[in-house]
Amino acid sequence: MASTSSAEEAEARSILERAATSSFPPLHAVHHLLSVGVCVRCILRLFGAYSSACSCSSLTALVLHSFLEEHDDSIKKESCQCLSTDDSYCSVCLGVLLPAYHQDNETEMTDGLSHIDKISSMISQAVKREGYQVDEFSLEISLPPVLAANERAARLYMKQKYGNENWFKDKTLPQQTMSVKEALRLLIVPSLEKQMNAKHGNNSFRIRLTYTHSDALQKLQSLLPNDNGRKRKTESRNGRDTSGETHKTNSICDSDKNTISESDSFIYKTLEGIRDEELCNLFQWPPEKVSKSCHLEISCVRSPIYIGGRYLKLSRNVSQSCWIIDDERMGEASVEEIIGEGVRAICRGDSYKFHAAGREDIDVRMLGSGRPFLVEVLNVRSIPSAIEVQQIAEKINNSEKKYVRVRNLKLVGSEIWTMMREGEAEKQKQYAALIWTSRELTETDLQSISLTKDMEIIQKTPIRVLHRRSPLERKRTIHWMEIEKVADSSNYYLLLLCTQAGTYIKEFVHGDLGRTHPSIGSMLGCRAEILQLDVTDVKMDFLQ
Ligand SMILES: [Zn+2]
């Protein structure tokens, strides 16, 4: 332990030496920032000297102070007010980058973990507790808006205090320094990768860190003017001095549209609209000591995954979607629940949504190649492997009640969902219907039916669905038909047909009191009834 910390201390000193030669202003100014409660990491940040090396846990106020003492005689060793060991937090980042700002080193001594390691261990535990399987993650950070105000006030304070000194140029207080958010990301990612044994990247598994500070927020809200008709800051801006700020504020908003709450973004907007002089009046510097740390909330979520395939429905008493009327279930089960719940359980998602390319009535079987569907599973704990997807399929296909079977089940991208929605209009469907006619059909009847090619029909909304669909007239195409007599029976026929999606087949057979024209009945000049209907194929180019 002792050797590690002395090695770390040497590293901390070399970071400071590099900063002193490259970007630090005169050291009395550095010392002044330290004395008004700015943490070492924020000091390095504000002077453009922040790098991934700054995660070094020996980089403390104490080390910086002794470095300053050695290099500037005007800085006193003893009784310097910035060395008081009270529990205050950085007046810019409120302790987000360094905890109680003198004490990162001390924490390390007690249990061998730095503050940052502690946070990543907390995150890693939260991820494990939720049961997530993770090999890549992305990190979303949301910080209290007061940090933006603090930083701007600190810069303006420096400008007021040192603006007349020769060394003070924009170069020494760069506008494009690293933000607290970027700095925190740089601190936490390596530690988190190690703790979670996972890589940081642009992944669908997102860890969100939400830092809040209720006292600071309350104070900020009481300071901010609340009328909306304020002059924009840009109107009274003096060019290059502040243009960097504008750019910065905008970029915060752009990159974090999803992570900033509405109330926070209102505060950011209001801050943007405040002129520099006004801001200096509102935020007195040096500020009061900050004695409470930020509250950190950790949450994780995974973007939805999609598992698609085709289903067969072998029962005439199972609906496609869960169908409950007045607390009473229609049919014995639903395709939606049988498949959706099977998929959800294996990937341990919070919930699922079932999307199918079209639907069939409860009493219609879905046979042949099956109907394309997608299950969208929300916030899964693990993404199923190809083998696990096969296991889901086997489980559904081998279930005791053979209501539903699945084919070609696989993990697919969300683009299939878009394709499925858009492709719905183009697809064709094939059916097999058992029909009855009021007279026995002749060979000529059968031939004339079978000669049908791309026949256009007009369908008014069927009577049986009028209560839930608006009354419309639609053109549909019957692509082809074949009809054959059922052996050893009179008046019973098997009708095979291929139609444009969205055709009401039952109505096309019996004519729906003339609302569908032509119909099998009108073509044959007799009564025609449909006894049973099966979908035998759904033509689509994907999920084959
Ligand atoms: Zn800080």
Side-chain angles (χ1 to χ4, degrees):
M1 276 302 269
S3 67
T4 328
S5 63
S6 73
E8 290 226 333
E9 211 165 301
E11 197 195 334
R13 293 188 75 85
S14 84
I15 292 167
L16 294 174
E17 263 151 34
R18 279 201 303 273
T21 47
S22 67
S23 56
F24 267 0
L27 295 183
H28 67 89
V30 176
H31 182 245
H32 184 71
L33 273 189
L34 190 64
S35 71
V36 296
V38 181
C39 77
V40 186
R41 283 176 182 148
C42 278
I43 289 175
L44 287 162
R45 222 166 42 75
L46 289 169
F47 293 123
Y50 195 93
S51 70
S52 58
C54 298
S55 64
C56 170
S57 62
S58 290
L59 202 57
T60 60
L62 223 66
V63 168
L64 175 58
H65 201 270
S66 63
F67 179 84
L68 296 173
E69 284 165 20
E70 284 163 31
H71 293 78
D72 187 333
D73 291 339
S74 69
I75 296 162
K76 294 252 161 52
K77 258 190 210 319
E78 273 122 50
S79 71
C80 185
Q81 60 162 347
C82 57
L83 287 177
S84 61
T85 51
D86 56 7
D87 278 343
S88 54
Y89 294 90
C90 171
S91 35
V92 176
C93 73
L94 304 183
V96 167
L97 295 181
L98 262 188
Y101 89 106
H102 288 296
Q103 296 173 357
D104 204 14
N105 213 19
E106 217 167 276
T107 327
E108 193 200 25
M109 282 175 190
T110 47
D111 56 9
L113 278 182
S114 72
H115 168 66
I116 292 301
D117 286 338
K118 270 190 176 162
I119 293 178
S120 41
S121 149
M122 267 162 62
I123 296 170
S124 156
Q125 276 164 27
V127 170
K128 269 193 204 124
R129 215 172 25 244
E130 286 283 311
Y132 286 105
Q133 241 173 50
V134 178
D135 34 51
E136 217 180 305
F137 64 91
S138 60
L139 195 60
E140 293 175 352
I141 298 171
S142 162
L143 297 173
V146 71
L147 265 54
N150 288 346
E151 181 145 342
R152 207 172 133 205
R155 286 167 181 285
L156 292 170
Y157 170 74
M158 293 287 285
K159 193 178 164 192
Q160 257 178 11
K161 193 168 168 65
Y162 300 112
N164 294 328
E165 296 185 20
N166 277 340
W167 61 267
F168 192 92
K169 295 175 205 136
D170 277 345
K171 214 175 126 225
T172 47
L173 252 190
Q175 298 290 354
Q176 295 298 331
T177 55
M178 190 177 288
S179 67
V180 174
K181 189 177 282 190
E182 285 170 81
L184 178 63
R185 195 182 291 278
L186 217 52
L187 280 180
I188 215 160
V189 162
S191 163
L192 200 52
E193 283 185 327
K194 211 155 70 187
Q195 288 266 359
M196 302 207 337
N197 193 24
K199 279 183 83 172
H200 174 256
N202 195 7
N203 195 262
S204 62
F205 178 71
R206 306 191 299 278
I207 297 170
R208 176 179 288 201
L209 307 183
T210 310
Y211 285 86
T212 49
H213 198 292
S214 51
D215 291 358
L217 178 66
Q218 235 170 25
K219 195 174 157 204
L220 180 67
Q221 278 169 333
S222 72
L223 286 176
L224 289 180
N226 45 16
D227 61 301
N228 296 331
R230 301 190 63 79
K231 272 197 207 164
R232 306 292 298 166
K233 181 174 67 171
T234 40
E235 284 172 24
S236 57
R237 294 209 128 179
N238 38 2
R240 116 180 223 259
D241 238 345
T242 44
S243 58
E245 275 308 330
T246 317
H247 170 78
K248 220 167 126 212
T249 323
N250 286 344
S251 72
I252 286 174
C253 295
D254 285 347
S255 63
D256 288 301
K257 267 187 190 122
N258 304 326
T259 55
I260 292 182
S261 71
E262 218 167 283
S263 59
D264 280 6
S265 79
F266 180 76
I267 295 176
Y268 282 120
K269 276 224 176 76
T270 313
L271 280 172
E272 240 183 291
I274 296 176
R275 280 172 295 130
D276 287 350
E277 308 85 81
E278 228 176 318
L279 192 100
C280 288
N281 290 333
L282 291 173
F283 297 89
Q284 294 292 337
W285 259 70
E288 285 170 34
K289 286 201 165 164
V290 185
S291 58
K292 250 172 89 178
S293 68
C294 285
H295 173 74
L296 169 61
E297 207 180 282
I298 300 166
S299 61
C300 8
V301 70
R302 200 187 306 261
S303 309
I305 63 163
Y306 294 87
I307 291 182
R310 286 179 173 241
Y311 75 80
L312 310 184
K313 183 167 89 71
L314 309 177
S315 163
R316 294 193 194 279
N317 197 20
V318 166
S319 56
Q320 185 193 63
S321 50
C322 177
W323 189 13
I324 290 167
I325 298 174
D326 295 335
D327 294 332
E328 202 183 323
R329 175 185 284 279
M330 301 290 121
E332 288 174 68
S334 71
V335 178
E336 173 181 27
E337 291 161 284
I338 292 171
I339 301 178
E341 187 48 39
V343 170
R344 188 208 64 77
I346 294 262
C347 20
R348 293 175 294 143
D350 284 351
S351 58
Y352 65 86
K353 291 179 195 160
F354 185 82
H355 312 288
R359 60 166 61 236
E360 63 282 319
D361 290 339
I362 186 165
D363 59 348
V364 173
R365 294 188 299 179
M366 177 67 235
L367 306 174
S369 56
R371 185 189 293 280
F373 71 88
L374 279 183
V375 182
E376 177 182 358
V377 199
L378 307 178
N379 198 16
V380 298
R381 301 308 190 271
S382 62
I383 295 173
S385 63
I387 295 171
E388 282 171 319
V389 172
Q390 275 327 296
Q391 286 169 346
I392 302 172
E394 278 162 30
K395 202 173 160 201
I396 294 168
N397 292 344
N398 297 328
S399 70
E400 209 178 305
K401 292 177 176 166
K402 305 251 180 274
Y403 294 148
V404 170
R405 287 181 64 82
V406 288
R407 293 179 56 236
N408 299 329
L409 200 64
K410 60 186 169 214
L411 196 63
V412 296
S414 60
E415 72 281 357
I416 298 284
W417 171 217
T418 318
M419 278 169 63
M420 204 160 95
R421 259 183 325 203
E422 287 167 359
E424 244 174 14
E426 282 98 49
K427 70 183 191 289
Q428 297 180 1
K429 287 154 79 176
Q430 284 180 29
Y431 299 88
L434 179 64
I435 64 169
W436 172 88
T437 52
S438 58
R439 67 172 171 84
E440 202 166 335
L441 301 184
T442 64
E443 202 53 44
T444 326
D445 289 327
L446 299 185
Q447 250 176 27
S448 79
I449 292 282
S450 295
L451 281 173
T452 303
K453 286 280 171 297
D454 295 324
M455 176 177 74
E456 201 166 83
I457 62 166
I458 309 263
Q459 289 200 304
K460 287 189 185 148
T461 304
I463 292 166
R464 69 185 162 97
V465 300
L466 260 183
H467 63 284
R468 55 188 163 94
R469 301 267 162 87
S470 48
L472 285 175
E473 209 175 80
R474 301 176 189 79
K475 277 186 188 166
R476 292 286 184 254
T477 305
I478 311 294
H479 296 295
W480 53 258
M481 293 196 280
E482 271 168 37
I483 188 164
E484 40 190 80
K485 198 168 167 36
V486 176
D488 304 324
S489 72
S490 58
N491 302 36
Y492 290 91
Y493 301 87
L494 186 66
L495 176 68
L496 306 175
L497 68 169
C498 175
T499 73
Q500 182 185 349
T503 308
Y504 291 105
I505 303 301
K506 290 171 180 173
E507 282 67 24
F508 172 64
V509 172
H510 60 62
D512 203 23
L513 304 175
R515 297 172 65 84
T516 289
H517 191 83
S519 65
I520 293 289
S522 74
M523 288 168 81
L524 296 169
C526 68
R527 249 180 80 204
E529 295 295 343
I530 185 161
L531 306 172
Q532 274 188 351
L533 181 63
D534 293 332
V535 185
T536 53
D537 198 9
V538 175
K539 298 247 182 248
M540 282 185 109
D541 292 338
F542 54 93
L543 297 169
Q544 290 293 336

